[in-house]
Amino acid sequence: MAQHPVEAVGLVRTFGDLTAVAGIDLIVEEGEIFGFLGPNGAGKSTTVRMLVTLLRPTSGVARVAGFDVVREPNAVRKSIGVALQDAAIDPLMTGNELLRLQAVLHGLGRKEATRRTGELLERVGLTVARDRKVGEYSGGMRRRLDLAMALIHRPSVLFLDEPTTGLDPTSRLAVWEEVRTLNDEGTTVFLTTQYLEEADELAGRVAIIDGGRIVREGAPAALKAAVGDPTLRVEIDERHFAEARTVLAAFGEERPARAGRVAIGLRGGTARLTEVVRALDDAGVPVGHLEMDLPSLDDVFAEATGRRLEGAGASAT
């Protein structure tokens, strides 16, 4: 394989009879933010754990920062930063102590460790809280500290596993801004997320994983454009679902929708909304709510899998 910051061919991981990752191929380019998007249980975290050497692949080949994850795990670990969703952070230590410990573990000298710790605490906005025990930190503060710990040794590749799960909107936006800044400075970022907006905002390219397999890959704009027509969603009382489907079928192909709604790809877009409303009214179908959106990554996922993505409604705004 040609060398890229992250590359995998035929990567598989099984747990007994369960196949968590079913033969994926990946290439992450130098200096990009690569989004790995999918619902819980799709295989995102298992893939990341193989790439950062925490899990041994059942089969396949993967190289990170130019090193084989099986044959050269120590070299991989020295080259990457990792902030996992379930990272264990000692609540009895202060932020300053944890960062200095991380620096020592990566072989930084005392003077460099002190300087680097101060730099990163300032960077993630924790200078004032540096001497407070981490157990007193909010969720957003913990995630920012975890990010600082992942950066202590200036890694060339940064793995972020669901970095904003459970955060409030303000904390989420702060993490997004820091990720953008790191990427602008040249860090390659591998980002896993189930939040559509997060992938859309940050990633130059995404891979959508479902059932352990990559079902779509490309730039978000290109993936959305390939879906085609905008999605019209109509909230209908279940007693009128059959009639609504019949009426709407004349205006576009049905798309997966959440309970209580019928959705179609509306041919002709907004210009045909009046026709749709009139046709439903003529058929005696009462409409509870009607909305139309340009194609989204949720539509891309739905088109590929036949269902909507968990976290699709989560927003940072």
Side-chain angles (χ1 to χ4, degrees):
M1 293 186 292
Q3 286 199 7
H4 299 273
V6 180
E7 48 189 334
V9 175
L11 202 60
V12 173
R13 175 67 197 200
T14 60
F15 298 92
D17 294 332
L18 172 67
T19 300
V21 176
I24 65 172
D25 300 334
L26 277 176
I27 289 181
V28 177
E29 302 291 349
E30 185 81 33
E32 75 172 335
I33 299 178
F34 183 84
F36 204 41
L37 178 66
N40 288 329
K44 300 189 306 295
S45 293
T46 300
T47 300
V48 168
R49 288 177 178 275
M50 287 189 284
L51 294 174
V52 303
T53 76
L54 292 178
L55 274 178
R56 189 182 182 94
T58 302
S59 62
V61 179
R63 296 178 66 86
V64 175
F67 302 104
D68 187 282
V69 299
V70 174
R71 298 198 312 267
E72 304 167 287
N74 290 335
V76 171
R77 291 168 193 156
K78 289 178 181 178
S79 304
I80 64 174
V82 183
L84 299 179
Q85 185 181 356
D86 56 356
I89 299 179
D90 189 340
L92 299 180
M93 296 180 71
T94 67
N96 184 58
E97 289 170 340
L98 276 167
L99 273 173
R100 287 177 63 86
L101 175 61
Q102 192 78 348
V104 170
L105 292 175
H106 279 286
L108 275 67
R110 179 177 297 182
K111 186 174 181 180
E112 174 65 8
T114 300
R115 188 181 66 80
R116 187 70 176 142
T117 294
E119 283 179 358
L120 289 171
L121 285 169
E122 182 177 359
R123 176 162 199 162
V124 299
L126 293 175
T127 300
V128 174
R130 63 183 295 151
D131 295 320
R132 284 170 52 189
K133 291 182 178 179
V134 174
E136 302 173 7
Y137 283 15
S138 68
M141 293 168 71
R142 283 172 176 252
R143 293 304 284 171
R144 284 183 278 136
L145 176 63
D146 194 26
L147 180 59
M149 292 170 63
L151 296 172
I152 196 76
H153 58 303
R154 294 185 174 86
S156 60
V157 185
L158 177 63
F159 287 87
L160 299 177
D161 187 21
E162 309 245 6
T164 64
T165 296
L167 297 189
D168 61 86
T170 300
S171 296
R172 182 174 294 170
L173 289 172
V175 172
W176 286 5
E177 191 58 37
E178 186 57 37
V179 172
R180 289 191 188 99
T181 300
L182 288 167
N183 183 245
D184 288 343
E185 294 172 353
T187 303
T188 300
V189 179
F190 189 105
L191 168 76
T192 77
T193 184
Q194 61 174 305
Y195 295 130
L196 297 163
E197 186 178 8
E198 187 158 271
D200 225 349
E201 283 283 334
L202 296 177
R205 205 159 49 90
V206 300
I208 300 176
I209 184 171
D210 185 54
R213 299 180 185 278
I214 293 176
V215 294
R216 291 291 184 275
E217 185 175 352
L223 292 175
K224 290 184 287 185
V227 172
D229 298 317
T231 298
L232 174 67
R233 299 180 180 87
V234 185
E235 190 174 297
I236 302 289
D237 186 287
E238 62 181 13
R239 293 171 297 178
H240 299 280
F241 258 47
E243 302 101 298
R245 282 196 170 98
T246 299
V247 171
L248 292 172
F251 294 93
E253 185 177 347
E254 187 169 352
R255 289 178 176 168
R258 293 178 176 81
R261 294 183 176 187
V262 179
I264 61 168
L266 181 59
R267 292 189 295 268
T270 55
R272 304 199 68 192
L273 273 176
T274 302
E275 291 180 61
V276 172
V277 173
R278 185 180 298 117
L280 289 169
D281 185 55
D282 290 344
V285 177
V287 175
H289 179 74
L290 183 148
E291 64 184 46
M292 189 168 69
D293 300 307
L294 293 174
S296 68
L297 287 177
D298 191 27
D299 294 317
V300 175
F301 182 84
E303 188 266 335
T305 67
R307 67 184 193 283
R308 293 287 166 183
L309 181 64
E310 298 171 35
S315 172
T317 59

